Amino acid sequence: MIERLGLLLALLIFALTTVVAFRQLPPQGRPIQWPLLILVALVAVPATIALNGTEYRLSARILGHRVPFLQAARIGLIGTAANQLPIPGSVLVRMRALNRLGSGYLRATASTAIVGLVWIGVSGLLAGPFVLAGGHVALGVPLVAGGAAAAVGGYFLLRSQVAAPQRLPLLVRLVTVEAGFVAISGVRFFLVLRALGFRVSAAQALALTVSVVLAAAAGFFPGGLGLRELLAAGISPVVGLPAAVGAVGTVVDRAVSLAMLSIVSLAFLVLFPRVMRGRGIPRGPEGAGESAP
């Protein structure tokens, strides 16, 4: 019952935000640049999916498991689909997958939390300076401060789970992957808004990525549905963009992402049916076939 109410609330917020944003949208001045949207679909969205798989592999490696990339990509795809439910679907899918590899739920929770904290930390520390350089102090300072706090928390939690020799290599790989997420999210916003005919700077596009982080952290909105659009609309005026532009950009990015996700998922089902059905995936303390050194 609560899940259904959450879904209805998210759909209502999404519909209202979308309608109001499109009505308030300033004139674009030029036609839609379809090649840019195709570029987002064919390059940026698959890159995000690949990073999702790499992120899961690192969360497993923290617990001493090696996971082949195709199996990790499968978890990433299922987690993204589960995020469309009014629950933190991706987190639950990853924790269940780590548990099947032989790790207890407590350690799986810790590993997932490490990845989440590093993501939030890198997002703030990477986007914050760009936002500050653009003169948007009101948003830039909280981004840097919050990012630093999350990064420190992620590091100390990593220390409690990983032996010293593996700590720095894992941290470097985590930071690199999360920086990739932030960069790809910023590129997607930049290309989508340019495709719609609006001028946007790199600092403004990176600032809008904060809406992705905050919406994901909320968890109970399916895929951040509605909430992400509201947050983008709220962040946009702070960095010099009309609220409607940020909201509409998020709606279009979501539509392109879901369409491409469906295509990629179908391709995986056709090309790798055994992997997508979870066959051949080892379970138990031996992990995914071999233990990390």
Side-chain angles (χ1 to χ4, degrees):
M1 183 64 179
I2 295 177
E3 289 81 4
R4 291 180 181 178
L5 289 175
L7 179 59
L8 288 174
L9 177 61
L11 287 172
L12 179 62
I13 294 174
F14 175 76
L16 289 175
T17 303
T18 301
V19 170
V20 172
F22 271 100
R23 286 184 175 179
Q24 298 296 321
L25 198 64
Q28 292 95 327
R30 61 176 181 171
I32 294 176
Q33 305 294 307
W34 291 104
L36 292 180
L37 291 181
I38 293 173
L39 185 63
V40 171
L42 296 182
V43 179
V45 174
T48 302
I49 294 172
L51 285 171
N52 262 318
T54 305
E55 189 182 65
Y56 170 68
R57 292 182 77 190
L58 288 175
S59 65
R61 189 67 180 271
I62 289 172
L63 301 180
H65 307 294
R66 292 182 186 271
V67 178
F69 180 77
L70 285 179
Q71 292 178 8
R74 167 184 175 269
I75 297 299
L77 287 170
I78 295 174
T80 302
N83 260 353
Q84 308 314 308
L85 301 171
I87 55 173
S90 182
V91 171
L92 295 178
V93 167
R94 290 188 185 194
M95 287 175 58
R96 175 58 179 160
L98 291 171
N99 178 256
R100 292 179 68 187
L101 292 177
S103 295
Y105 278 112
L106 187 60
R107 293 200 69 211
T109 300
S111 173
T112 305
I114 290 167
V115 172
L117 286 170
V118 173
W119 176 43
I120 294 171
V122 171
S123 297
L125 292 174
L126 188 59
F130 278 91
V131 175
L132 285 172
H136 313 299
V137 179
L139 180 62
V141 171
L143 277 178
V144 173
V152 170
Y155 171 72
F156 278 104
L157 189 54
L158 181 68
R159 285 189 60 181
S160 70
Q161 299 295 317
V162 179
Q166 294 296 315
R167 202 173 292 153
L168 182 59
L170 277 173
L171 182 62
V172 170
R173 291 173 65 183
L174 269 175
V175 169
T176 302
V177 169
E178 304 310 337
F181 266 120
V182 176
I184 288 295
S185 296
V187 168
R188 284 169 59 168
F189 272 117
F190 183 85
L191 292 177
V192 165
L193 291 177
R194 283 299 180 102
L196 296 177
F198 299 107
R199 293 189 177 276
V200 58
S201 67
Q204 290 169 326
L206 278 172
L208 289 175
T209 65
V210 178
S211 64
V212 180
V213 178
L214 295 177
F220 52 84
F221 280 81
L225 187 66
L227 180 60
R228 187 174 145 197
E229 285 74 16
L230 276 178
L231 289 169
I235 291 170
S236 294
V238 180
V239 294
L241 288 172
V245 171
V248 169
T250 304
V251 171
V252 174
D253 177 70
R254 182 188 295 279
V256 172
S257 177
L258 288 177
M260 195 61 195
L261 178 67
S262 300
I263 294 172
V264 173
S265 298
L266 180 61
F268 261 73
L269 279 171
V270 173
L271 296 174
F272 311 108
R274 285 179 57 83
V275 173
M276 290 303 290
R277 291 169 187 160
R279 295 179 181 175
I281 299 178
R283 303 170 186 171
E286 68 276 7
E290 56 178 315
S291 298

